[in-house]
Amino acid sequence: MSGWTSANIPDQTGRTFVVTGANSGLGAEAATALVGAGAEVILACRNTVKADAVAQRLGPKATVAKLDLADLASVRSFAESVTGADVLINNAGLMAVPLQRTADGFEMQIGTNHLGHFALTALLLPKISDRVVTVSSGLHQLGNLQLDDLNWEKRRYNRWRAYGDSKLANLMFGLELAHRLRDAGSSKQSFVAHPGYAATELQGRTETVMDFLMKLTNKTPMVQSAAAGAWPELYAATMPGLESGTYYGPTQFFGLHGAPGRNRYKKIADDASVRARLWEESEKLTGVTFDVASAG
């Protein structure tokens, strides 16, 4: 995989991908690369106006569907509309936003980044033939999941810790899904990826001075393009012969940029008991029973 870029994606003709948050940033770049490799791509987005512009640029292989991960009714409606796909890429996300609540009362970051994708994957998995890729972040290292307070109702809100929690939850969910699929004897796979430090619209929504500082940082050589940031999720989504449950990210400059490869992650993510508790709490909060065995 040394030097791997999106130009190395195998031919994807005849395959269908669902990419959440494909209206901009990593998602739009992933969709662009996949269509370029011959795939059909469903751009699952809250902002369908932006998504329509991306789809128009990509041509007839790209279609747009409404999906608001901060609203479980929208998640269910979208899942019902999908007839089938080969790969689901859980790409959409928010970073370090002020305290807000989703339509179902969840803290916005855990609700959008993790719980929305958890419910979506549960509902779509029977229709997915190959694999699921969930996008985490190197900032999952900031996470310290409080499983009795995922929605920050008891703690004083910290937007960066909440982001870290949501990305740690993404990582643990992807690893646990791989474990459960394997135990169920399923041929389906689950991977986790992170983009390193890539310049996207994700930076700029904290409503603090950090927005200005991050925009300045985005112009420095240490930050890679959104197209390069999408490489790890594209690698995990398209390459044959990968080991389910692997965490992929950039391999250069402390995991901030470069070609994708295996990355290390926070040790707590290997704790099967914590992963199981997160799974159970996610089922409870979303009201979605995630029975991997029955998903085929």
Side-chain angles (χ1 to χ4, degrees):
M1 71 186 72
S2 176
W4 195 95
T5 73
S6 56
N8 301 113
I9 296 174
D11 181 23
Q12 300 297 303
T13 301
R15 287 165 61 81
T16 299
F17 292 72
V18 174
V19 183
T20 69
N23 57 283
S24 65
L26 302 178
E29 295 293 346
T32 300
L34 291 167
V35 168
E40 304 274 346
V41 182
I42 299 171
L43 284 62
C45 305
R46 180 182 60 83
N47 190 329
T48 56
V49 174
K50 284 188 174 182
D52 284 338
V54 174
Q56 185 174 9
R57 172 171 57 82
L58 296 182
K61 287 185 177 292
T63 58
V64 175
K66 176 74 173 180
L67 170 64
D68 184 353
L69 290 160
D71 184 345
L72 290 177
S74 176
V75 172
R76 292 187 177 92
S77 178
F78 171 78
E80 289 173 0
S81 74
V82 176
T83 57
D86 296 281
V87 180
L88 167 63
I89 303 181
N90 291 322
N91 166 86
L94 296 170
M95 183 174 76
V97 296
L99 179 60
Q100 302 170 49
R101 299 286 171 185
T102 70
D104 303 282
F106 307 140
E107 185 275 318
M108 186 62 73
Q109 296 187 83
I110 198 75
T112 301
N113 298 354
H114 169 61
L115 293 172
H117 279 129
F118 177 90
L120 176 66
T121 307
L123 295 168
L124 274 189
L125 191 60
K127 304 176 184 180
I128 299 297
S129 66
D130 184 8
R131 65 186 79 178
V132 176
V133 178
T134 301
V135 178
S136 180
S137 165
L139 291 181
H140 79 271
Q141 297 281 358
L142 297 177
N144 183 23
L145 288 171
Q146 302 294 309
L147 294 175
D148 62 345
D149 189 29
L150 284 178
N151 286 308
W152 293 81
E153 296 169 327
K154 303 173 184 177
R155 296 170 287 167
R156 182 177 179 179
Y157 185 67
N158 181 306
R159 69 189 71 198
W160 284 104
R161 180 60 59 81
Y163 178 68
D165 281 359
S166 72
K167 294 288 103 178
L168 179 57
N170 284 151
L171 171 62
M172 297 181 80
F173 165 60
L175 297 180
E176 181 65 12
L177 178 58
H179 173 75
R180 295 189 181 213
L181 287 168
R182 192 177 299 116
D183 279 359
S186 174
S187 62
K188 298 177 186 179
Q189 297 180 296
S190 170
F191 301 95
V192 187
H194 80 91
Y197 198 145
T200 71
E201 293 181 10
L202 194 66
Q203 298 105 1
R205 300 178 181 175
T206 70
E207 298 182 14
T208 71
V209 69
M210 284 298 295
D211 291 344
F212 175 72
L213 295 175
M214 285 188 288
K215 287 179 181 179
L216 287 180
T217 303
N218 281 353
K219 298 177 182 180
T220 66
M222 69 176 289
V223 180
Q224 62 184 354
S225 67
W231 292 346
E233 64 187 84
L234 287 166
Y235 184 88
T238 64
M239 293 300 288
L242 304 183
E243 181 182 353
S244 187
T246 304
Y247 178 54
Y248 292 105
T251 53
Q252 299 173 14
F253 201 62
F254 306 100
L256 292 179
H257 57 73
R262 287 174 177 260
N263 273 206
R264 296 181 179 180
Y265 50 78
K266 195 167 186 175
K267 188 68 174 177
I268 188 66
D270 282 330
D271 190 323
S273 65
V274 177
R275 293 202 313 255
R277 287 175 57 204
L278 173 63
W279 190 285
E280 291 166 5
E281 186 65 16
S282 300
E283 286 187 319
K284 176 182 175 182
L285 289 170
T286 62
V288 176
T289 300
F290 198 152
D291 185 356
V292 170
S294 67

